[in-house]
Amino acid sequence: MLHIKILIPQIIHDLWLHKLRSSLAIFCIAFGIFAVLMLSALGKGFYDANNAEMVGLADDAFIIWQNKSSMSSRGYPKGKVRWITIGDVLELPRIFSDIIWVSPIVSQSAVLSYKGRAYSKSVTGVSSDYIGLDKIKLTPGSRFINQFDMDNAANVAVITWRMKEILFGNDQAIGVKVLINNIPFTVIGVLSKDSSKNHMFSGDLLISYKSYMSLYNEHQAYFFMLQTNPDIKPEQFKLMLRSYFAEKCHFDKSDDQALGFWASSDMSDFIKWFFIGVQMFLWFCGLMILAVGSIGVANIMFLIVTEKTYEIGLRKAVGATDRQILFQIFFESLFIVGIGGFLGMGASYFMVMFLQHVTLPGWIGVPYLSWVTILTTILTLGLVGMFAGFFPAKRASEIDPVEALMM
Amino acid sequence: MSEKIIQIHDVGKTYHTGKIDFEALRNINLEIEKGDYVAILGPSGSGKSTLMHIIGCLATPTVGSYFLAGKEVSKFTSNDLAKARNLYIGFVFQKFNLMPQMTVLDNVSLPLLYRGIKTEERRSKAKEVLEQLGLASHLMHRSNELSGGQQQRVAVARALVTNPEVILADEPTGNLDSKSGEGVINLFNQLHEGGKTVILVTHDTAVAKNANRIIQIQDGTIRV
Ligand SMILES: Nc1ncnc2c1ncn2[C@@H]1O[C@H](COP(=O)(O)OP(=O)(O)OP(=O)(O)O)[C@@H](O)[C@H]1O
Ligand SMILES: [Mg+2]
């Protein structure tokens, strides 16, 4: 209703009269917006890059272990159970069609020797499915234990990057034979360097569960890992598996201590909430900066209103209504906040563009600005502007023209 | 046929400054007809400006009623008063009261802004009025670059641009030398001849003689 074309040059004139204060307030707003947007963009990229990796497991994966029973069941006393065997684990996919991959995880220490030197290392027996369950990556030229190895009880080993360096230094490792408890094993794979920090597996060597069983004459599956069809709910699956093993291992199916579960969904939930917490904290910091900026803008507006008392009185005398004056001052505040916001948004846009085109360490991920973030920011800016403008505008609208003109 | 544009009944105005109340106007009864040329004459502090502010809808009376063009202004809200000023009143003040950083043209077109009139139309109207008052060559000057007499002409132009019913002038010659003062008074005389209602506040009897009706005010009341 008021003519913005006339207002804008006036606003610029007013701001120019208070160069230092206006530039500080605009800078505060711009910096607040820049901080909020950058933190949010970095946070988003970081979350995307790390969510999967930090979970360390495939989605819908479970690590399961058996405990002693915590109550008696059908004549079996508390604490007395039949232990789950590797065989029990491997037949699970035939019993539950929802299980896609499964692997026992059994570990013991072993004497590893190569070129006359002996090392005490931990050996883990797994199935060929393990590579899909734990997100391990292999170096080029490597392969993982496969079905053929398992069928033929082949003595093959996959070693970590660290083991490779200890045993072979810079030499070729693939195809070389090492001794595990004096049995020769052929190295078929080396885990990639960065893989070794992101997966579940914390041992030194992986061999097939078949080799493990003959090496240690051991059948108990201390741990096992499996991945289900994504359609099945984790809680539902846990109950199904517990009642299956309750029958088989003589514990009560209501005994929630008997089987231990660790689901990747637990971890993703944790990470999700962790990131929401971090984001809220960042938003809070940004808002504090914006609050300071908005008080700065309000301060300038009060100054401008005081200086313009005469002018406002005169405008009123020639017919400006309280509402028109209110709008004018309000618009000025929004305009100042808008300039700050625009600068902040522009700066963060270019910064994000820049960061998207340089190579950043993998864990930082690729920052990006989502529309939700931008819209939320604009909304916040609007609120900041209104907050900064309201009180000065109200004071301006209450100026008495008679008193103002006597000045 | 005469139409009473201003009707004031038993109006009083009390100023509250701190704990002290000051009765600037009391028992004012006044009717002014459309097309009248009225001078309000009185010594300093007698309440002339206060009365003018009430007539001009810049202030409301503490007691009594005031009708402007048939509407009871004494009951108006602040927004309605602003609209009434814009619609019916053109002010000329002793101190000219122009916007120093604005051009003459923008100063004069300002009242039209608050009527929501488009820029070009505002400018052409303002230009027209300024030309009539002999200021055509000063349109783009800043108002503080002009002489006192010229500034007061600009103020008169601003008062006229909305084509108001009533022109109110508070000591319009108070800050002018006698020659420029005479020029401004002549303007008011012409406005009156053109049919406008002109109300002139002054403490100068020579100025007051231009009007066809003189109201004397003393200690906040009209002397009869
Ligand atoms: N806002 C105010 N608060 C308190 N007292 C006021 C106010 N405005 C005016 N007065 C007092 O009211 C009285 C009348 O003032 P007013 O300005 O109407 O006089 P005036 O006749 O216009 O005088 P002058 O010729 O000096 O302009 C004066 O005594 C003045 O001090
Ligand atoms: Mg006065």
Side-chain angles (χ1 to χ4, degrees), chain A residues 400 402-403 406, chain B residues 14-17 20 22-25 42-53 94 170-171 201-203 217 220:
Chain A
D400 176 8
V402 173
E403 279 175 33
M406 287 199 302
Chain B
T14 308
Y15 289 114
H16 310 274
T17 28
I20 306 152
F22 182 80
E23 206 177 15
L25 289 178
S44 184
S46 56
K48 304 184 295 292
S49 294
T50 304
L51 179 59
M52 206 202 82
H53 294 150
Q94 176 174 356
D170 192 353
E171 311 262 16
V201 169
T202 183
H203 56 249
I217 186 164

PDB file of all heavy atoms in Angstrom, chain A residues 400 402-403 406, chain B residues 14-17 20 22-25 42-53 94 170-171 201-203 217 220, ligand 1:
ATOM      1  N   ASP A 400       3.432  11.659  18.365  1.00  0.00           N
ATOM      2  CA  ASP A 400       2.381  12.667  18.286  1.00  0.00           C
ATOM      3  C   ASP A 400       2.820  13.754  17.304  1.00  0.00           C
ATOM      4  O   ASP A 400       3.849  14.407  17.520  1.00  0.00           O
ATOM      5  CB  ASP A 400       2.155  13.246  19.694  1.00  0.00           C
ATOM      6  CG  ASP A 400       1.139  14.385  19.682  1.00  0.00           C
ATOM      7  OD1 ASP A 400       0.503  14.606  18.622  1.00  0.00           O
ATOM      8  OD2 ASP A 400       0.989  15.056  20.725  1.00  0.00           O
ATOM      9  N   VAL A 402       1.846  16.757  16.675  1.00  0.00           N
ATOM     10  CA  VAL A 402       1.958  18.126  17.182  1.00  0.00           C
ATOM     11  C   VAL A 402       3.291  18.314  17.898  1.00  0.00           C
ATOM     12  O   VAL A 402       4.038  19.252  17.630  1.00  0.00           O
ATOM     13  CB  VAL A 402       0.781  18.459  18.122  1.00  0.00           C
ATOM     14  CG1 VAL A 402       1.002  19.818  18.764  1.00  0.00           C
ATOM     15  CG2 VAL A 402      -0.533  18.431  17.353  1.00  0.00           C
ATOM     16  N   GLU A 403       3.601  17.353  18.794  1.00  0.00           N
ATOM     17  CA  GLU A 403       4.866  17.459  19.519  1.00  0.00           C
ATOM     18  C   GLU A 403       6.057  17.356  18.582  1.00  0.00           C
ATOM     19  O   GLU A 403       7.035  18.087  18.713  1.00  0.00           O
ATOM     20  CB  GLU A 403       4.958  16.349  20.583  1.00  0.00           C
ATOM     21  CG  GLU A 403       4.192  16.702  21.840  1.00  0.00           C
ATOM     22  CD  GLU A 403       4.189  15.560  22.845  1.00  0.00           C
ATOM     23  OE1 GLU A 403       5.191  14.819  22.893  1.00  0.00           O
ATOM     24  OE2 GLU A 403       3.175  15.417  23.549  1.00  0.00           O
ATOM     25  N   MET A 406       6.824  20.574  16.758  1.00  0.00           N
ATOM     26  CA  MET A 406       7.352  21.678  17.552  1.00  0.00           C
ATOM     27  C   MET A 406       8.864  21.594  17.682  1.00  0.00           C
ATOM     28  O   MET A 406       9.510  22.543  18.090  1.00  0.00           O
ATOM     29  CB  MET A 406       6.696  21.687  18.940  1.00  0.00           C
ATOM     30  CG  MET A 406       5.258  22.174  18.870  1.00  0.00           C
ATOM     31  SD  MET A 406       4.593  22.739  20.442  1.00  0.00           S
ATOM     32  CE  MET A 406       4.777  21.326  21.479  1.00  0.00           C
TER      33      MET A 406
ATOM     34  N   THR B  14      -7.111  20.369  27.884  1.00  0.00           N
ATOM     35  CA  THR B  14      -6.251  20.425  29.060  1.00  0.00           C
ATOM     36  C   THR B  14      -4.990  19.621  28.785  1.00  0.00           C
ATOM     37  O   THR B  14      -5.067  18.486  28.330  1.00  0.00           O
ATOM     38  CB  THR B  14      -6.993  19.842  30.282  1.00  0.00           C
ATOM     39  OG1 THR B  14      -8.252  20.499  30.402  1.00  0.00           O
ATOM     40  CG2 THR B  14      -6.192  20.042  31.548  1.00  0.00           C
ATOM     41  N   TYR B  15      -3.841  20.235  29.025  1.00  0.00           N
ATOM     42  CA  TYR B  15      -2.563  19.521  28.887  1.00  0.00           C
ATOM     43  C   TYR B  15      -2.142  18.995  30.248  1.00  0.00           C
ATOM     44  O   TYR B  15      -2.235  19.714  31.237  1.00  0.00           O
ATOM     45  CB  TYR B  15      -1.468  20.449  28.361  1.00  0.00           C
ATOM     46  CG  TYR B  15      -1.635  20.842  26.914  1.00  0.00           C
ATOM     47  CD1 TYR B  15      -1.900  22.162  26.555  1.00  0.00           C
ATOM     48  CD2 TYR B  15      -1.502  19.885  25.911  1.00  0.00           C
ATOM     49  CE1 TYR B  15      -2.036  22.520  25.233  1.00  0.00           C
ATOM     50  CE2 TYR B  15      -1.644  20.238  24.575  1.00  0.00           C
ATOM     51  CZ  TYR B  15      -1.907  21.556  24.243  1.00  0.00           C
ATOM     52  OH  TYR B  15      -2.045  21.907  22.944  1.00  0.00           O
ATOM     53  N   HIS B  16      -1.691  17.763  30.265  1.00  0.00           N
ATOM     54  CA  HIS B  16      -1.172  17.198  31.518  1.00  0.00           C
ATOM     55  C   HIS B  16       0.335  17.118  31.395  1.00  0.00           C
ATOM     56  O   HIS B  16       0.842  16.362  30.587  1.00  0.00           O
ATOM     57  CB  HIS B  16      -1.726  15.795  31.758  1.00  0.00           C
ATOM     58  CG  HIS B  16      -3.207  15.727  31.615  1.00  0.00           C
ATOM     59  ND1 HIS B  16      -4.063  16.012  32.659  1.00  0.00           N
ATOM     60  CD2 HIS B  16      -4.000  15.404  30.563  1.00  0.00           C
ATOM     61  CE1 HIS B  16      -5.316  15.869  32.245  1.00  0.00           C
ATOM     62  NE2 HIS B  16      -5.302  15.499  30.972  1.00  0.00           N
ATOM     63  N   THR B  17       1.015  17.957  32.170  1.00  0.00           N
ATOM     64  CA  THR B  17       2.473  17.838  32.195  1.00  0.00           C
ATOM     65  C   THR B  17       2.870  17.490  33.616  1.00  0.00           C
ATOM     66  O   THR B  17       2.753  18.311  34.520  1.00  0.00           O
ATOM     67  CB  THR B  17       3.164  19.153  31.768  1.00  0.00           C
ATOM     68  OG1 THR B  17       2.304  20.232  32.098  1.00  0.00           O
ATOM     69  CG2 THR B  17       3.467  19.182  30.295  1.00  0.00           C
ATOM     70  N   ILE B  20       0.931  18.657  36.878  1.00  0.00           N
ATOM     71  CA  ILE B  20       0.217  19.910  36.646  1.00  0.00           C
ATOM     72  C   ILE B  20      -0.695  19.790  35.433  1.00  0.00           C
ATOM     73  O   ILE B  20      -0.287  19.319  34.370  1.00  0.00           O
ATOM     74  CB  ILE B  20       1.217  21.071  36.426  1.00  0.00           C
ATOM     75  CG1 ILE B  20       2.204  21.119  37.602  1.00  0.00           C
ATOM     76  CG2 ILE B  20       0.492  22.394  36.238  1.00  0.00           C
ATOM     77  CD1 ILE B  20       3.548  21.688  37.238  1.00  0.00           C
ATOM     78  N   PHE B  22      -2.880  21.895  32.728  1.00  0.00           N
ATOM     79  CA  PHE B  22      -2.965  23.254  32.201  1.00  0.00           C
ATOM     80  C   PHE B  22      -4.100  23.330  31.188  1.00  0.00           C
ATOM     81  O   PHE B  22      -4.138  22.618  30.202  1.00  0.00           O
ATOM     82  CB  PHE B  22      -1.643  23.662  31.547  1.00  0.00           C
ATOM     83  CG  PHE B  22      -1.669  25.071  31.028  1.00  0.00           C
ATOM     84  CD1 PHE B  22      -1.485  26.152  31.896  1.00  0.00           C
ATOM     85  CD2 PHE B  22      -1.919  25.323  29.675  1.00  0.00           C
ATOM     86  CE1 PHE B  22      -1.535  27.455  31.420  1.00  0.00           C
ATOM     87  CE2 PHE B  22      -1.974  26.633  29.206  1.00  0.00           C
ATOM     88  CZ  PHE B  22      -1.773  27.698  30.087  1.00  0.00           C
ATOM     89  N   GLU B  23      -5.041  24.229  31.491  1.00  0.00           N
ATOM     90  CA  GLU B  23      -6.222  24.359  30.647  1.00  0.00           C
ATOM     91  C   GLU B  23      -5.910  25.365  29.539  1.00  0.00           C
ATOM     92  O   GLU B  23      -6.003  26.569  29.733  1.00  0.00           O
ATOM     93  CB  GLU B  23      -7.411  24.826  31.495  1.00  0.00           C
ATOM     94  CG  GLU B  23      -8.735  24.395  30.915  1.00  0.00           C
ATOM     95  CD  GLU B  23      -9.909  24.800  31.805  1.00  0.00           C
ATOM     96  OE1 GLU B  23      -9.725  25.641  32.705  1.00  0.00           O
ATOM     97  OE2 GLU B  23     -11.005  24.267  31.579  1.00  0.00           O
ATOM     98  N   ALA B  24      -5.524  24.865  28.375  1.00  0.00           N
ATOM     99  CA  ALA B  24      -5.108  25.741  27.275  1.00  0.00           C
ATOM    100  C   ALA B  24      -6.313  26.327  26.545  1.00  0.00           C
ATOM    101  O   ALA B  24      -6.240  27.432  26.014  1.00  0.00           O
ATOM    102  CB  ALA B  24      -4.233  24.974  26.303  1.00  0.00           C
ATOM    103  N   LEU B  25      -7.418  25.596  26.529  1.00  0.00           N
ATOM    104  CA  LEU B  25      -8.644  26.094  25.900  1.00  0.00           C
ATOM    105  C   LEU B  25      -9.826  25.755  26.790  1.00  0.00           C
ATOM    106  O   LEU B  25      -9.846  24.708  27.419  1.00  0.00           O
ATOM    107  CB  LEU B  25      -8.880  25.424  24.534  1.00  0.00           C
ATOM    108  CG  LEU B  25      -7.973  25.773  23.359  1.00  0.00           C
ATOM    109  CD1 LEU B  25      -8.384  24.933  22.151  1.00  0.00           C
ATOM    110  CD2 LEU B  25      -8.034  27.257  23.023  1.00  0.00           C
ATOM    111  N   GLY B  42      -4.596  36.629  18.595  1.00  0.00           N
ATOM    112  CA  GLY B  42      -4.442  36.597  20.049  1.00  0.00           C
ATOM    113  C   GLY B  42      -2.983  36.650  20.429  1.00  0.00           C
ATOM    114  O   GLY B  42      -2.111  36.358  19.602  1.00  0.00           O
ATOM    115  N   PRO B  43      -2.710  37.009  21.684  1.00  0.00           N
ATOM    116  CA  PRO B  43      -1.319  37.104  22.127  1.00  0.00           C
ATOM    117  C   PRO B  43      -0.673  35.724  22.260  1.00  0.00           C
ATOM    118  O   PRO B  43      -1.349  34.702  22.232  1.00  0.00           O
ATOM    119  CB  PRO B  43      -1.427  37.789  23.494  1.00  0.00           C
ATOM    120  CG  PRO B  43      -2.803  37.510  23.968  1.00  0.00           C
ATOM    121  CD  PRO B  43      -3.657  37.366  22.748  1.00  0.00           C
ATOM    122  N   SER B  44       0.637  35.738  22.422  1.00  0.00           N
ATOM    123  CA  SER B  44       1.385  34.489  22.563  1.00  0.00           C
ATOM    124  C   SER B  44       0.915  33.704  23.783  1.00  0.00           C
ATOM    125  O   SER B  44       0.685  34.284  24.841  1.00  0.00           O
ATOM    126  CB  SER B  44       2.872  34.815  22.688  1.00  0.00           C
ATOM    127  OG  SER B  44       3.599  33.629  22.735  1.00  0.00           O
ATOM    128  N   GLY B  45       0.716  32.426  23.615  1.00  0.00           N
ATOM    129  CA  GLY B  45       0.292  31.566  24.721  1.00  0.00           C
ATOM    130  C   GLY B  45      -1.194  31.566  24.963  1.00  0.00           C
ATOM    131  O   GLY B  45      -1.683  30.949  25.899  1.00  0.00           O
ATOM    132  N   SER B  46      -1.956  32.239  24.109  1.00  0.00           N
ATOM    133  CA  SER B  46      -3.394  32.338  24.341  1.00  0.00           C
ATOM    134  C   SER B  46      -4.149  31.073  23.922  1.00  0.00           C
ATOM    135  O   SER B  46      -5.314  30.905  24.264  1.00  0.00           O
ATOM    136  CB  SER B  46      -3.952  33.551  23.591  1.00  0.00           C
ATOM    137  OG  SER B  46      -3.626  33.448  22.219  1.00  0.00           O
ATOM    138  N   GLY B  47      -3.499  30.183  23.162  1.00  0.00           N
ATOM    139  CA  GLY B  47      -4.169  28.932  22.758  1.00  0.00           C
ATOM    140  C   GLY B  47      -4.511  28.866  21.288  1.00  0.00           C
ATOM    141  O   GLY B  47      -5.263  27.978  20.862  1.00  0.00           O
ATOM    142  N   LYS B  48      -3.976  29.785  20.494  1.00  0.00           N
ATOM    143  CA  LYS B  48      -4.295  29.812  19.053  1.00  0.00           C
ATOM    144  C   LYS B  48      -3.886  28.513  18.362  1.00  0.00           C
ATOM    145  O   LYS B  48      -4.671  27.902  17.637  1.00  0.00           O
ATOM    146  CB  LYS B  48      -3.557  30.982  18.365  1.00  0.00           C
ATOM    147  CG  LYS B  48      -3.821  32.344  18.960  1.00  0.00           C
ATOM    148  CD  LYS B  48      -3.140  33.434  18.177  1.00  0.00           C
ATOM    149  CE  LYS B  48      -1.627  33.381  18.185  1.00  0.00           C
ATOM    150  NZ  LYS B  48      -1.012  33.662  19.518  1.00  0.00           N
ATOM    151  N   SER B  49      -2.615  28.109  18.613  1.00  0.00           N
ATOM    152  CA  SER B  49      -2.127  26.896  17.952  1.00  0.00           C
ATOM    153  C   SER B  49      -2.906  25.672  18.412  1.00  0.00           C
ATOM    154  O   SER B  49      -3.248  24.803  17.613  1.00  0.00           O
ATOM    155  CB  SER B  49      -0.647  26.687  18.232  1.00  0.00           C
ATOM    156  OG  SER B  49       0.098  27.728  17.638  1.00  0.00           O
ATOM    157  N   THR B  50      -3.204  25.650  19.709  1.00  0.00           N
ATOM    158  CA  THR B  50      -3.967  24.517  20.237  1.00  0.00           C
ATOM    159  C   THR B  50      -5.306  24.398  19.510  1.00  0.00           C
ATOM    160  O   THR B  50      -5.709  23.303  19.092  1.00  0.00           O
ATOM    161  CB  THR B  50      -4.187  24.701  21.755  1.00  0.00           C
ATOM    162  OG1 THR B  50      -2.913  24.865  22.383  1.00  0.00           O
ATOM    163  CG2 THR B  50      -4.900  23.517  22.358  1.00  0.00           C
ATOM    164  N   LEU B  51      -5.974  25.525  19.341  1.00  0.00           N
ATOM    165  CA  LEU B  51      -7.258  25.516  18.635  1.00  0.00           C
ATOM    166  C   LEU B  51      -7.073  25.069  17.195  1.00  0.00           C
ATOM    167  O   LEU B  51      -7.863  24.273  16.665  1.00  0.00           O
ATOM    168  CB  LEU B  51      -7.888  26.916  18.695  1.00  0.00           C
ATOM    169  CG  LEU B  51      -9.230  27.060  17.971  1.00  0.00           C
ATOM    170  CD1 LEU B  51     -10.255  26.090  18.539  1.00  0.00           C
ATOM    171  CD2 LEU B  51      -9.753  28.503  18.062  1.00  0.00           C
ATOM    172  N   MET B  52      -6.002  25.573  16.595  1.00  0.00           N
ATOM    173  CA  MET B  52      -5.772  25.191  15.209  1.00  0.00           C
ATOM    174  C   MET B  52      -5.500  23.694  15.065  1.00  0.00           C
ATOM    175  O   MET B  52      -5.925  23.066  14.110  1.00  0.00           O
ATOM    176  CB  MET B  52      -4.614  25.999  14.643  1.00  0.00           C
ATOM    177  CG  MET B  52      -4.740  26.134  13.156  1.00  0.00           C
ATOM    178  SD  MET B  52      -3.167  26.495  12.412  1.00  0.00           S
ATOM    179  CE  MET B  52      -2.490  24.877  12.330  1.00  0.00           C
ATOM    180  N   HIS B  53      -4.784  23.121  16.024  1.00  0.00           N
ATOM    181  CA  HIS B  53      -4.508  21.681  15.971  1.00  0.00           C
ATOM    182  C   HIS B  53      -5.780  20.865  16.089  1.00  0.00           C
ATOM    183  O   HIS B  53      -5.920  19.826  15.464  1.00  0.00           O
ATOM    184  CB  HIS B  53      -3.518  21.287  17.073  1.00  0.00           C
ATOM    185  CG  HIS B  53      -2.153  21.882  16.872  1.00  0.00           C
ATOM    186  ND1 HIS B  53      -1.306  22.195  17.920  1.00  0.00           N
ATOM    187  CD2 HIS B  53      -1.497  22.255  15.738  1.00  0.00           C
ATOM    188  CE1 HIS B  53      -0.188  22.725  17.438  1.00  0.00           C
ATOM    189  NE2 HIS B  53      -0.286  22.773  16.117  1.00  0.00           N
ATOM    190  N   GLN B  94       4.301  27.871  10.660  1.00  0.00           N
ATOM    191  CA  GLN B  94       5.220  29.007  10.773  1.00  0.00           C
ATOM    192  C   GLN B  94       6.626  28.636  10.300  1.00  0.00           C
ATOM    193  O   GLN B  94       7.292  29.401   9.631  1.00  0.00           O
ATOM    194  CB  GLN B  94       5.260  29.453  12.248  1.00  0.00           C
ATOM    195  CG  GLN B  94       6.248  30.570  12.489  1.00  0.00           C
ATOM    196  CD  GLN B  94       6.171  31.093  13.916  1.00  0.00           C
ATOM    197  OE1 GLN B  94       5.329  30.685  14.715  1.00  0.00           O
ATOM    198  NE2 GLN B  94       7.039  32.039  14.234  1.00  0.00           N
ATOM    199  N   ASP B 170      -0.742  28.463  10.461  1.00  0.00           N
ATOM    200  CA  ASP B 170      -0.361  28.905  11.801  1.00  0.00           C
ATOM    201  C   ASP B 170       0.827  29.848  11.681  1.00  0.00           C
ATOM    202  O   ASP B 170       1.936  29.411  11.417  1.00  0.00           O
ATOM    203  CB  ASP B 170      -0.009  27.682  12.658  1.00  0.00           C
ATOM    204  CG  ASP B 170       0.117  28.048  14.130  1.00  0.00           C
ATOM    205  OD1 ASP B 170       0.061  29.259  14.447  1.00  0.00           O
ATOM    206  OD2 ASP B 170       0.268  27.121  14.942  1.00  0.00           O
ATOM    207  N   GLU B 171       0.563  31.144  11.883  1.00  0.00           N
ATOM    208  CA  GLU B 171       1.606  32.162  11.765  1.00  0.00           C
ATOM    209  C   GLU B 171       2.424  31.989  10.485  1.00  0.00           C
ATOM    210  O   GLU B 171       3.651  31.864  10.544  1.00  0.00           O
ATOM    211  CB  GLU B 171       2.558  32.098  12.969  1.00  0.00           C
ATOM    212  CG  GLU B 171       1.872  32.065  14.306  1.00  0.00           C
ATOM    213  CD  GLU B 171       1.805  33.440  14.970  1.00  0.00           C
ATOM    214  OE1 GLU B 171       2.024  34.436  14.258  1.00  0.00           O
ATOM    215  OE2 GLU B 171       1.520  33.498  16.171  1.00  0.00           O
ATOM    216  N   VAL B 201      -3.959  31.789  11.580  1.00  0.00           N
ATOM    217  CA  VAL B 201      -3.621  32.102  12.969  1.00  0.00           C
ATOM    218  C   VAL B 201      -2.518  33.144  12.972  1.00  0.00           C
ATOM    219  O   VAL B 201      -1.530  32.997  12.261  1.00  0.00           O
ATOM    220  CB  VAL B 201      -3.158  30.836  13.717  1.00  0.00           C
ATOM    221  CG1 VAL B 201      -2.542  31.196  15.062  1.00  0.00           C
ATOM    222  CG2 VAL B 201      -4.320  29.873  13.907  1.00  0.00           C
ATOM    223  N   THR B 202      -2.720  34.209  13.735  1.00  0.00           N
ATOM    224  CA  THR B 202      -1.703  35.264  13.753  1.00  0.00           C
ATOM    225  C   THR B 202      -1.817  36.099  15.021  1.00  0.00           C
ATOM    226  O   THR B 202      -2.846  36.078  15.697  1.00  0.00           O
ATOM    227  CB  THR B 202      -1.840  36.163  12.499  1.00  0.00           C
ATOM    228  OG1 THR B 202      -0.798  37.127  12.517  1.00  0.00           O
ATOM    229  CG2 THR B 202      -3.171  36.875  12.458  1.00  0.00           C
ATOM    230  N   HIS B 203      -0.756  36.784  15.392  1.00  0.00           N
ATOM    231  CA  HIS B 203      -0.914  37.779  16.454  1.00  0.00           C
ATOM    232  C   HIS B 203      -0.699  39.181  15.884  1.00  0.00           C
ATOM    233  O   HIS B 203      -0.556  40.147  16.599  1.00  0.00           O
ATOM    234  CB  HIS B 203       0.017  37.496  17.638  1.00  0.00           C
ATOM    235  CG  HIS B 203       1.464  37.401  17.270  1.00  0.00           C
ATOM    236  ND1 HIS B 203       2.154  36.220  17.323  1.00  0.00           N
ATOM    237  CD2 HIS B 203       2.328  38.322  16.822  1.00  0.00           C
ATOM    238  CE1 HIS B 203       3.384  36.433  16.932  1.00  0.00           C
ATOM    239  NE2 HIS B 203       3.520  37.710  16.616  1.00  0.00           N
ATOM    240  N   ILE B 217      -8.815  35.613  20.585  1.00  0.00           N
ATOM    241  CA  ILE B 217      -8.712  34.595  21.627  1.00  0.00           C
ATOM    242  C   ILE B 217      -7.732  35.069  22.689  1.00  0.00           C
ATOM    243  O   ILE B 217      -6.702  35.676  22.378  1.00  0.00           O
ATOM    244  CB  ILE B 217      -8.327  33.238  21.004  1.00  0.00           C
ATOM    245  CG1 ILE B 217      -8.355  32.099  22.028  1.00  0.00           C
ATOM    246  CG2 ILE B 217      -6.987  33.261  20.334  1.00  0.00           C
ATOM    247  CD1 ILE B 217      -8.353  30.744  21.361  1.00  0.00           C
ATOM    248  N   GLY B 220      -7.224  31.287  26.465  1.00  0.00           N
ATOM    249  CA  GLY B 220      -7.920  30.039  26.138  1.00  0.00           C
ATOM    250  C   GLY B 220      -9.394  30.183  25.830  1.00  0.00           C
ATOM    251  O   GLY B 220     -10.078  29.171  25.658  1.00  0.00           O
TER     252      GLY B 220
HETATM  253  N1  LIG C   1       1.939  19.972  24.661  1.00  0.00           N
HETATM  254  C1  LIG C   1       1.743  20.875  25.594  1.00  0.00           C
HETATM  255  N2  LIG C   1       1.884  20.562  26.888  1.00  0.00           N
HETATM  256  C2  LIG C   1       1.694  21.458  27.853  1.00  0.00           C
HETATM  257  N3  LIG C   1       1.340  22.721  27.642  1.00  0.00           N
HETATM  258  C3  LIG C   1       1.178  23.110  26.366  1.00  0.00           C
HETATM  259  C4  LIG C   1       1.375  22.210  25.276  1.00  0.00           C
HETATM  260  N4  LIG C   1       1.144  22.883  24.131  1.00  0.00           N
HETATM  261  C5  LIG C   1       0.827  24.130  24.490  1.00  0.00           C
HETATM  262  N5  LIG C   1       0.835  24.274  25.831  1.00  0.00           N
HETATM  263  C6  LIG C   1       0.517  25.468  26.581  1.00  0.00           C
HETATM  264  O1  LIG C   1      -0.760  25.862  26.193  1.00  0.00           O
HETATM  265  C7  LIG C   1      -0.805  27.276  26.070  1.00  0.00           C
HETATM  266  C8  LIG C   1      -1.316  27.629  24.691  1.00  0.00           C
HETATM  267  O2  LIG C   1      -0.376  27.230  23.744  1.00  0.00           O
HETATM  268  P1  LIG C   1      -0.510  27.531  22.195  1.00  0.00           P
HETATM  269  O3  LIG C   1       0.688  26.976  21.514  1.00  0.00           O
HETATM  270  O4  LIG C   1      -1.826  27.073  21.753  1.00  0.00           O
HETATM  271  O5  LIG C   1      -0.425  29.107  22.216  1.00  0.00           O
HETATM  272  P2  LIG C   1      -0.340  30.109  20.969  1.00  0.00           P
HETATM  273  O6  LIG C   1      -1.468  31.028  21.122  1.00  0.00           O
HETATM  274  O7  LIG C   1      -0.231  29.349  19.711  1.00  0.00           O
HETATM  275  O8  LIG C   1       1.021  30.864  21.274  1.00  0.00           O
HETATM  276  P3  LIG C   1       2.107  31.421  20.229  1.00  0.00           P
HETATM  277  O9  LIG C   1       1.565  32.674  19.701  1.00  0.00           O
HETATM  278  O10 LIG C   1       3.311  31.627  21.092  1.00  0.00           O
HETATM  279  O11 LIG C   1       2.294  30.335  19.211  1.00  0.00           O
HETATM  280  C9  LIG C   1       0.580  27.811  26.325  1.00  0.00           C
HETATM  281  O12 LIG C   1       0.642  28.315  27.610  1.00  0.00           O
HETATM  282  C10 LIG C   1       1.461  26.602  26.219  1.00  0.00           C
HETATM  283  O13 LIG C   1       2.519  26.706  27.117  1.00  0.00           O
END
